């Protein structure tokens, strides 16, 4: 474990220990960079971050024995949008990145993630940054895929009930802000920011206690540290998370009212998007078939999907169309 001295803003100690990320794979996921000649953007970057999310999720599932029930897919596998034009991250692109990792690279990443989690949790305890119930308070701005699942509660007046409990399904790895002086900025323009009380065992990366290979070479310390973000785990087998109305930190009322009014006025489109857990409920209608989306996107299925495409592409057009029709008629997801 490589450690450095570093002053913390909260917890009173003058100096504390910083864990230096050793795995190039984990480092690139945090900072952005190159893995086996494939460029990826940082997990906390605002756009095009599916590769980093996929990698961190896959590694974390191995590192911490996380199992997610079939049918409760990660929302970052959904189609992405760019200036109103529909586009998809292809399965082949994700598969190429995953298959490029050697066993040594993958195992090093797993061990590094386990070590950094131990260090972060140790430092949280040492610096008295945990609540009496053993949780850490983090602040997460709900994305549209999460907000879509509770918008009916809000439309029915749940915000007037402090103890009302909301439940939504979301990803295994999530980012949130720690408490800091600019908490009212950043994503405050979004509809809702919530204070979640996360078990200390589920805190993975913390900007006060880690550093990366790029930290001393870039003007921005690192995307994780610069944005004051904490990465934590959602280990629930169905991906459920809960919070109460009293846990809501801030609400952008004009934005939220706009979304509620959209739901009331466009019930059919909203229900279709909600069922698919699309990324931007307020602007887009789903173009991806339901059956195709619910194809489970783990690496075995991705590999099978890739081989199936190569096989179909080797056939003459008439035979290819006939086989695809048979697959669909048999309700086998293509």
């Amino acid at each position: 474990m490589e450690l450095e001295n570093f002053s913390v803003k909260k917890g009173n100690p003058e100096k504390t220990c910083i864990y230096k990320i050793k795995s190039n794979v984990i480092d690139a996921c945090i900072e952005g960079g190159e893995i086996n000649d494939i460029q990826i953007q940082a997990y906390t970057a605002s756009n095009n971050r599916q590769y980093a999310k996929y990698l961190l999720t896959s590694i974390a599932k191995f590192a911490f024995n996380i199992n997610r029930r079939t049918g409760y897919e990660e929302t970052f596998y959904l189609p992405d949008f760019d200036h109103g034009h529909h586009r998809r991250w292809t399965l082949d692109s994700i598969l190429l990145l995953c298959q490029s990792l050697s066993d040594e690279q993958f195992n090093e990443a797993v061990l590094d993630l386990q070590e950094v989690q131990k260090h972060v949790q140790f430092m949280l305890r040492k610096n008295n940054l945990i609540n009496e119930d053993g949780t850490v308070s983090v602040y997460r701005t709900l994305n549209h895929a999460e907000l879509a699942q509770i918008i009916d509660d809000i439309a029915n007046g749940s915000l007037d009930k402090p103890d009302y409990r909301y439940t939504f399904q979301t990803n295994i790895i999530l980012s949130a802000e720690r408490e800091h002086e600019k908490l009212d900025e950043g994503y405050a323009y979004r509809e809702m920011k919530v204070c979640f009380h996360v078990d200390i065992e589920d805190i993975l990366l913390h900007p006060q206690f880690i550093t990366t290979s790029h930290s001393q070479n870039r003007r921005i310390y690192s995307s994780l540290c610069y944005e004051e973000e904490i990465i934590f785990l959602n280990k629930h087998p169905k991906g459920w998370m809960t919070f109460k109305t009293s846990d809501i930190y801030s609400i952008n009322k004009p934005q939220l009212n706009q979304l509620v009014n959209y739901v009331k006025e466009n019930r059919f489109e909203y229900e279709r998007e909600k069922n698919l857990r699309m990324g931007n409920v307020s602007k887009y209608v789903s173009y991806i078939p339901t059956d195709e989306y619910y194809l489970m996107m783990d690496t075995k299925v991705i590999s099978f999907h890739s081989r199936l495409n190569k096989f179909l592409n080797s056939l003459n057009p008439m035979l290819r169309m006939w086989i695809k029709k048979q697959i669909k008629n048999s309700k086998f997801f293509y």
Side-chain angles (χ1 to χ4, degrees):
M1 182 184 297
E2 184 175 348
L3 304 175
E4 299 175 2
N5 288 331
F6 183 75
S7 297
V8 295
K9 298 178 181 178
K10 190 174 180 181
N12 295 326
E14 295 181 359
K15 293 184 178 180
T16 189
C17 295
I18 297 297
Y19 181 93
K20 175 67 177 296
I21 298 295
K22 297 183 286 293
S23 164
N24 176 58
V25 174
I26 302 298
D27 189 273
C29 287
I30 296 173
E31 288 273 12
E34 187 176 284
I35 302 175
N36 300 338
D37 299 323
I38 300 173
Q39 289 286 337
I40 69 170
Q41 289 191 327
Y43 175 89
T44 54
S46 59
N47 295 305
N48 303 330
R49 56 190 180 179
Q50 281 85 347
Y51 287 170
K53 279 188 173 185
Y54 186 92
L55 266 182
L56 277 176
T57 300
S58 298
I59 294 166
K61 287 168 73 174
F62 275 82
F64 308 112
N65 193 29
I66 300 173
N67 298 302
R68 183 60 59 92
R69 276 269 305 274
T70 302
Y72 295 87
E73 299 89 340
E74 300 287 280
T75 57
F76 61 79
Y77 295 134
L78 292 169
D80 201 359
F81 297 92
D82 185 17
H83 303 296
H85 300 291
H86 182 260
R87 60 184 176 85
R88 291 185 65 188
W89 286 93
T90 66
L91 301 184
D92 287 339
S93 298
I94 297 175
L95 180 62
L96 177 64
L97 176 63
C98 294
Q99 291 183 334
S100 74
L101 296 180
S102 66
D103 289 343
E104 291 76 16
Q105 285 178 305
F106 189 82
N107 292 333
E108 179 189 35
V110 168
L111 292 174
D112 206 24
L113 209 55
Q114 291 171 336
E115 287 298 317
V116 71
Q117 187 205 40
K118 291 177 184 177
H119 176 73
V120 165
Q121 292 177 8
F122 172 79
M123 295 308 300
L124 287 169
R125 290 188 174 96
K126 179 181 178 181
N127 290 291
N128 299 317
L129 296 176
I130 59 174
N131 303 319
E132 291 183 359
D133 61 355
T135 64
V136 177
S137 297
V138 302
Y139 298 82
R140 175 171 174 79
T141 301
L142 298 187
N143 61 41
H144 285 96
E146 296 160 349
L147 199 57
Q149 299 172 65
I150 64 170
I151 199 67
D152 280 326
D153 297 334
I154 295 172
N156 292 329
S158 63
L159 293 178
D160 296 327
K161 305 171 184 177
D163 293 325
Y164 189 91
R165 187 170 294 276
Y166 306 84
T167 301
F168 63 95
Q169 183 256 330
T170 190
N171 300 326
I172 289 173
I173 289 187
L174 298 165
S175 62
E177 296 175 85
R178 67 184 179 90
E179 187 175 349
H180 60 94
E181 62 272 13
K182 296 183 179 180
L183 196 57
D184 293 328
E185 301 177 16
Y187 293 105
Y189 68 92
R190 296 286 293 274
E191 289 83 357
M192 183 181 294
K193 182 179 289 187
V194 177
C195 177
F196 290 96
H197 308 286
V198 180
D199 289 340
I200 188 171
E201 290 78 12
D202 295 334
I203 300 296
L204 184 58
L205 301 174
H206 193 291
Q208 288 178 273
F209 307 122
I210 70 168
T211 187
T212 67
S213 65
H214 299 292
S215 296
Q216 305 304 321
N217 301 326
R218 288 188 176 184
R219 180 176 62 84
I220 296 177
Y221 177 58
S222 77
S223 57
L224 180 74
C225 299
Y226 178 73
E227 297 182 18
E228 303 279 0
E229 292 203 47
I230 292 173
I231 306 298
F232 67 97
L233 301 171
N234 171 23
K235 298 177 182 176
H236 193 282
K238 293 184 179 181
W240 297 124
M241 288 190 67
T242 63
F243 68 93
K244 296 189 297 184
T245 299
S246 58
D247 294 322
I248 297 174
Y249 176 77
S250 64
I251 293 177
N252 184 320
K253 290 185 178 179
Q255 288 282 93
L256 188 60
N257 289 338
Q258 182 181 3
L259 186 56
V260 170
N261 291 334
Y262 170 85
V263 171
K264 291 179 178 178
E265 297 170 6
N266 302 274
R267 172 58 62 177
F268 176 78
E269 290 85 354
Y270 166 75
E271 287 296 339
R272 187 166 181 237
E273 293 165 6
K274 178 183 176 183
N275 290 336
L276 290 174
R277 299 197 299 278
M278 293 299 293
N280 194 335
V281 174
S282 61
K283 294 183 180 179
Y284 299 108
V285 176
S286 167
Y287 295 102
I288 180 172
T290 305
D291 286 351
E292 185 175 345
Y293 166 66
Y294 279 105
L295 172 66
M296 187 60 181
M297 300 272 284
D298 64 21
T299 53
K300 290 183 179 179
V301 174
I302 290 174
S303 179
F304 170 76
H305 190 284
S306 178
R307 294 197 303 272
L308 178 61
N309 272 337
K310 290 178 181 177
F311 167 72
L312 291 174
N313 290 336
S314 69
L315 304 175
N316 66 62
M318 291 297 295
L319 183 57
R320 186 187 312 140
M321 290 179 61
W322 182 83
I323 291 178
K324 286 185 176 182
K325 184 177 180 180
Q326 295 302 310
I327 291 174
K328 290 182 178 181
N329 289 340
S330 66
K331 299 186 183 302
F332 185 90
F333 296 158
Y334 169 67

